[in-house]
């Protein structure tokens, strides 16, 4: 069986900020985020933009024993996909279900670049 590496990243940075990129399978039209790491047996998947913003479906706050608390959430996008990620809210503010969010650059504790979701300024829940 032939296995190939999916060539596209799951994020794109441009003049408008960060955009998440999912994948659409050519044969079924199915969507996926994050894109597959590998494609098998002739599968073909093409990058598809998740859009500029989504709506917070649910969230939780994690309280590690020896580290600061942080929030994680699930975000619904217009293409029907729900994406999991870290939430990055301003100091003193907190998320609410239904908030409109967008992807922002975020560094994991080990320095690895990733994405998080932040409230979209001026958007009403």
């Amino acid at each position: 069986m032939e296995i190939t590496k999916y060539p596209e990243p799951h994020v794109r940075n441009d003049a408008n900020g960060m955009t998440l990129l999912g994948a659409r399978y050519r044969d079924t039209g199915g969507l996926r985020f994050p894109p597959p790491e590998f494609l098998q047996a002739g599968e073909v998947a093409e990058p598809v933009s998740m859009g500029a913003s989504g709506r917070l479906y649910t969230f939780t706050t994690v309280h590690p024993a020896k580290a600061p608390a942080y929030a994680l959430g699930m975000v619904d996008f217009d293409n029907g996909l729900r994406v999991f990620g870290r939430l990055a809210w301003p100091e003193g503010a907190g998320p609410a279900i239904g908030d409109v969010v967008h992807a922002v650059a975020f560094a994991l504790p080990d320095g690895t670049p990733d994405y998080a979701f932040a409230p979209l300024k001026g958007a009403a829940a």
Side-chain angles (χ1 to χ4, degrees):
M1 176 189 309
E2 178 188 355
I3 297 176
T4 58
K5 183 140 177 69
Y6 183 76
E8 302 294 330
H10 69 283
V11 296
R12 176 180 60 222
N13 287 302
D14 57 28
N16 297 323
M18 178 176 275
T19 302
L20 299 182
L21 298 172
R24 181 183 310 277
Y25 289 96
R26 189 179 292 169
D27 59 345
T28 66
L31 292 172
R32 176 180 169 159
F33 183 88
E37 188 171 354
F38 296 98
L39 298 169
Q40 301 178 34
E43 284 180 318
V44 177
E46 299 162 337
V48 60
S49 172
M50 299 293 292
S53 63
R55 197 166 285 277
L56 188 60
Y57 172 75
T58 192
F59 69 95
T60 189
T61 302
V62 179
H63 298 274
K66 297 183 180 183
Y70 60 92
L72 301 171
M74 299 290 287
V75 174
D76 286 338
F77 284 86
D78 287 342
N79 64 11
L81 289 180
R82 185 170 285 157
V83 176
F84 177 78
R86 175 107 34 160
L87 301 181
W89 252 246
E91 187 71 32
I97 292 173
D99 282 348
V100 178
V101 300
H102 66 113
V104 295
F106 180 81
L108 297 173
D110 68 358
T112 303
D114 203 7
Y115 68 90
F117 294 111
L120 190 61
K121 291 181 180 144

